[in-house]
Amino acid sequence: MKTLFLTFLFLLSLCTNAQIVEASTTIATNEYMDLLTANLELPKEVTEKYANQDIELTIVLTITKDGSVFNPKIQNDSLQLEPYLKKAVETLPKWNPKTEDGNPVVSRKAFKLIIPILYAIQEDDLAMKANPEGGMQGYYHNFMRKVNVDKYLDDEATVSGIKMIATFVVEKDGNLTNIKIIESNEPSLNSEIIRVIKSMPKWNPATENGVPVRSDFTLPIKIKFNR
């Protein structure tokens, strides 16, 4: 009888565990993180200090019963980026909340977020220099998502990372012309980078006294692999 009772408790616990469904994103998790990174507008002093470096953050999201994110946190927020994180999260889709026995409950999720700070541009220069719609940080994130590197690279390249410099002309109407790669440690990828630059939206042209002008632009490119 005792054995039968223990067996019953074991089976009951299995049924209870089977009725717990963890919170999940309504879009692919990697796409959610990409959107979060792209929408995270960092203050000028941070982008200037950490230009061409990666910032690694541990974020904690509280998922409410209706799937919204409440009061997102950053562990050890020495850079004081939590207000910027909260603003970025507000623009993202809701989650599927965690459920217990079919009932939604509050839960927490922790993630590592790596933010590449690839370029720093002075705000005062934006009035005169050409710049992409949405700013350089957003441009780089969208750019990297479009690059297909796997079929071009060897094992050595994936270890050392890709560093190259592209140049182009931003025309008065915002179109990009005369795209070239002037420096590259992985020439096999040059044509792919040029293809992606051509596929990106128009830029805001440079201006002089408020009038659009044709201008040259130099774009440093850094691709880091986590393999």
Side-chain angles (χ1 to χ4, degrees):
M1 185 70 181
K2 181 178 180 181
T3 301
L4 182 62
F5 178 69
L6 291 175
T7 302
F8 173 75
L9 288 179
F10 175 72
L11 292 174
L12 181 62
S13 68
L14 289 179
C15 293
T16 302
N17 290 336
Q19 293 175 351
I20 297 177
V21 180
E22 295 296 333
S24 62
T25 51
T26 53
I27 58 177
T29 302
N30 61 338
E31 183 179 347
Y32 185 94
M33 290 300 150
D34 285 344
L35 286 173
L36 177 56
T37 304
N39 292 340
L40 189 60
E41 297 182 4
L42 303 181
K44 176 183 174 183
E45 56 270 20
V46 172
T47 57
E48 288 182 345
K49 182 177 180 180
Y50 294 95
N52 298 315
Q53 300 180 50
D54 293 338
I55 296 177
E56 184 174 310
L57 304 175
T58 299
I59 64 173
V60 180
L61 305 182
T62 299
I63 316 301
T64 63
K65 294 180 181 180
D66 69 354
S68 58
V69 176
F70 173 75
N71 199 25
K73 295 288 186 180
I74 299 175
Q75 291 184 2
N76 303 319
D77 187 21
S78 60
L79 299 178
Q80 298 182 329
L81 298 180
E82 274 189 6
Y84 303 92
L85 175 64
K86 291 177 182 178
K87 185 176 179 180
V89 167
E90 289 173 356
T91 66
L92 300 182
K94 286 187 175 183
W95 286 59
N96 298 310
K98 179 180 179 179
T99 59
E100 295 180 359
D101 297 329
N103 299 313
V105 296
V106 176
S107 63
R108 289 181 176 83
K109 291 283 187 178
F111 297 94
K112 289 283 187 182
L113 194 64
I114 298 177
I115 307 170
I117 310 298
L118 297 168
Y119 190 78
I121 185 168
Q122 298 294 330
E123 291 181 359
D124 293 342
D125 293 339
L126 294 180
M128 299 184 64
K129 289 185 178 180
N131 61 93
E133 200 68 45
M136 287 304 305
Q137 197 65 31
Y139 178 86
Y140 270 117
H141 287 302
N142 292 330
F143 179 92
M144 294 305 174
R145 291 176 65 187
K146 291 188 174 185
V147 176
N148 180 11
V149 300
D150 291 337
K151 64 179 180 179
Y152 296 94
L153 303 180
D154 54 32
D155 291 338
E156 184 178 348
T158 60
V159 172
S160 60
I162 305 302
K163 295 180 181 179
M164 57 178 63
I165 297 177
T167 62
F168 46 81
V169 174
V170 182
E171 302 291 346
K172 294 179 182 180
D173 62 359
N175 282 312
L176 306 186
T177 61
N178 198 27
I179 302 169
K180 298 178 181 178
I181 306 296
I182 61 171
E183 288 185 24
S184 175
N185 69 342
E186 186 61 36
S188 65
L189 193 59
N190 290 5
S191 59
E192 172 66 3
I193 295 299
I194 291 174
R195 179 195 70 80
V196 174
I197 293 174
K198 288 181 178 179
S199 73
M200 298 290 282
K202 288 183 178 182
W203 283 44
N204 300 313
T207 58
E208 290 183 3
N209 299 320
V211 179
V213 295
R214 195 169 184 258
S215 64
D216 297 321
F217 198 93
T218 300
L219 184 74
I221 297 167
K222 175 184 175 184
I223 304 176
K224 184 178 179 181
F225 300 94
N226 295 316
R227 295 185 178 180

